Amino acid sequence: QQDAISAKGYSLGYIGSVILLLICLTMILMFDTFGFESENLPTRLSFVLTGIWWIGFSQYTYYFLPEGNKKEKVTSQLFFNGFRELKSIWVKLKVNVPLKRFLCAFFVYSMAVQTIMLVATYFGIEELEWGDTDATTGLIVSILLIQLVAVLGAMLTSKASSRFGNIKTLIVLNFIWVIICAYAYTITSPIQFYVTAAFVGLVMGGIQSLSRSTYSKLIPNKAIDTASYFSFYDVSEKIGIVIGMLTYGYIAQITGSIRYAILFFILFFVFGIILLFRVPIKKTE
């Protein structure tokens, strides 16, 4: 059930983000209807609304999750426990070869995936010729398009993994990312940007949901610290984002164009494919 559940989780997340984005955009673009003098205040209120959205819907999760360590007192040790748990997983990775190999592959290609997602809007602003089309509207449309198509991508990838296996599907997704990066280097018009955004959404939803479910299959069956394993997974992803953004900034700075940075990320996906071939396939079925 891991692949289907992961796909459903990401899909609901994408749908939720689209709903919140539409609410905020309506408030900003129709500010006079809501009694605002300009779009400045509703734009600021969107950040507040995002915080309320998070804390509000998280209550549902807190209500149904087991209480866990709720009765334990909060001490100074609580802060350092997280680091100790991450260190324990690092030690366990040394003897879990399949998990270690997959995590290395994920770390590499995730650097490119997460960075491209973050710099997509900058690319649209700096590199495209919008002409008579309003750039802000175009970027809003592309963001919504990516989120909606990502739902379909997560679901299709889940079905593909059940038929072809997780690792093979991830290899294909990385290969599609290579093609997207190569095509993105050539685009100049809004239409081409929308097409690219659609394919980005398709493989973004797929590679995120399937990576997480594949990782879950490689965690030892008798492991009791699964939360620590997923914390390590998340930390790896966040460190990858930092390295990816630094790489993007450096390449863009020395070349003077974001296009070369996007093109450079092909190396991350190719290296990710090579590392995925080293992961034992039977462990992920």
Side-chain angles (χ1 to χ4, degrees):
Q1 295 179 323
Q2 284 122 308
D3 296 338
I5 290 174
S6 185
K8 185 176 181 179
Y10 268 103
S11 296
L12 291 174
Y14 294 134
I15 293 171
S17 67
V18 168
I19 293 173
L20 178 58
L21 181 59
L22 288 174
I23 293 173
C24 293
L25 288 175
T26 302
M27 186 170 60
I28 294 170
L29 298 176
M30 302 175 63
F31 63 88
D32 52 344
T33 304
F34 294 93
F36 298 108
E37 295 182 357
S38 68
E39 62 182 21
N40 183 41
L41 182 56
T43 301
R44 294 174 180 273
L45 288 176
S46 295
F47 288 93
V48 178
L49 183 59
T50 301
I52 295 173
W53 186 276
W54 269 10
I55 198 170
F57 280 100
S58 64
Q59 301 309 308
Y60 179 86
T61 304
Y62 297 149
Y63 182 79
F64 285 100
L65 279 177
E67 292 185 3
N69 300 324
K70 185 178 180 181
K71 296 180 181 180
E72 287 192 4
K73 294 182 179 180
V74 178
T75 64
S76 59
Q77 296 298 317
L78 184 64
F79 177 80
F80 298 102
N81 282 344
F83 292 101
R84 279 193 286 269
E85 290 176 9
L86 291 176
K87 182 180 179 181
S88 69
I89 300 301
W90 173 262
V91 173
K92 292 176 182 179
L93 284 176
K94 296 179 181 179
V95 295
N96 191 333
V97 176
L99 185 61
K100 181 174 67 176
R101 289 182 178 179
F102 173 75
L103 197 59
C104 288
F106 168 76
F107 179 76
V108 171
Y109 68 71
S110 180
M111 280 193 284
V113 172
Q114 300 298 328
T115 305
I116 290 173
M117 287 166 53
L118 290 172
V119 304
T121 52
Y122 297 110
F123 182 90
I125 293 172
E126 297 292 333
E127 302 292 338
L128 299 186
E129 301 171 1
W130 290 95
D132 297 331
T133 306
D134 180 61
T136 302
T137 303
L139 292 173
I140 290 172
V141 171
S142 65
I143 291 172
L144 289 172
L145 180 63
I146 288 174
Q147 298 292 321
L148 289 172
V149 176
V151 177
L152 177 63
M155 294 301 181
L156 291 177
T157 302
S158 174
K159 294 183 180 298
S161 64
S162 64
R163 182 174 181 178
F164 303 107
N166 290 47
I167 299 300
K168 291 180 180 178
T169 305
L170 284 171
I171 290 172
V172 171
L173 288 174
N174 274 269
F175 183 73
I176 295 174
W177 272 108
V178 171
I179 297 174
I180 290 174
C181 289
Y183 179 70
Y185 177 77
T186 67
I187 67 175
T188 56
S189 67
I191 296 299
Q192 291 175 315
F193 187 69
Y194 294 146
V195 172
T196 307
F199 279 99
V200 165
L202 196 65
V203 291
M204 180 189 75
I207 204 165
Q208 284 187 315
S209 63
L210 191 60
S211 293
R212 184 171 64 179
S213 62
T214 303
Y215 181 80
S216 73
K217 293 181 179 182
L218 293 169
I219 295 175
N221 292 329
K222 296 181 180 180
I224 59 174
D225 51 351
T226 53
S228 298
Y229 274 99
F230 279 102
S231 295
F232 195 93
Y233 177 86
D234 282 335
V235 169
S236 301
E237 184 180 52
K238 300 304 181 290
I239 294 174
I241 292 175
V242 174
I243 298 174
M245 289 298 290
L246 284 172
T247 303
Y248 148 76
Y250 179 73
I251 299 296
Q253 183 69 26
I254 63 175
T255 62
S257 174
I258 300 176
R259 293 180 185 273
Y260 292 103
I262 299 297
L263 197 64
F264 183 80
F265 283 131
I266 289 178
L267 295 177
F268 287 94
F269 290 117
V270 171
F271 194 35
I273 291 172
I274 295 173
L275 291 175
L276 282 172
F277 273 112
R278 299 180 68 248
V279 181
I281 293 180
K282 290 184 179 180
K283 292 286 185 178
T284 60
E285 301 302 326

